[in-house]
Amino acid sequence: SGHGGEAGVTVWERGTEQHIDLNAGTDGSDYQARIALSPDNRYLAIGGNNLRVWDLVNLPAALADRKPVVYSGPEVTINEVRFVNDGLLETVSSNGTQQWDVATGDEVTSVVSR
């Protein structure tokens, strides 16, 4: 949801209804396939025009400061993101499938589409 150009993301824990509000800047996502939570629930990633990652364990106290780390990712729109393990994120785009170190944004592997 956006207010004044800013988009927000809320992560809910279904069992307890506890939640964390995050600042997504101006680029939210309505596509479920572009949103992924790491298996250890530490990292939230959203794909799209770039790759945005929040470290949910180390969030600033103020909501306005809870912005993601933005990595360039592939050179095209990311259609899908999924975690391979706690620290490895896979993106799917028209460029193919690529894997990224979620903590650094460095590309680990790439399978280019033909």
Side-chain angles (χ1 to χ4, degrees):
S1 64
H3 322 303
E6 293 290 309
V9 177
T10 302
V11 180
W12 290 87
E13 187 175 327
R14 283 188 252 189
T16 64
E17 296 191 12
Q18 291 184 330
H19 61 280
I20 300 169
D21 293 315
L22 304 167
N23 183 342
T26 58
D27 191 13
S29 181
D30 295 330
Y31 301 102
Q32 187 173 349
R34 292 183 181 173
I35 302 170
L37 192 62
S38 64
D40 63 359
N41 296 323
R42 177 170 181 173
Y43 295 104
L44 171 69
I46 298 181
N49 296 326
N50 50 34
L51 186 56
R52 287 164 292 139
V53 176
W54 289 264
D55 181 344
L56 301 178
V57 172
N58 296 302
L59 289 173
L63 174 61
D65 296 334
R66 293 180 181 176
K67 293 182 179 170
V69 175
V70 179
Y71 302 126
S72 58
E75 300 295 311
V76 294
T77 301
I78 298 167
N79 298 317
E80 189 176 337
V81 296
R82 57 183 168 253
F83 278 88
V84 176
N85 58 40
D86 291 338
L88 191 63
L89 182 69
E90 189 168 81
T91 60
V92 179
S93 68
S94 59
N95 274 4
T97 301
Q98 294 167 290
Q99 292 181 343
W100 311 86
D101 181 319
V102 73
T104 65
D106 293 334
E107 185 175 349
V108 178
T109 63
S110 179
V111 179
V112 179
S113 295
R114 302 261 179 246

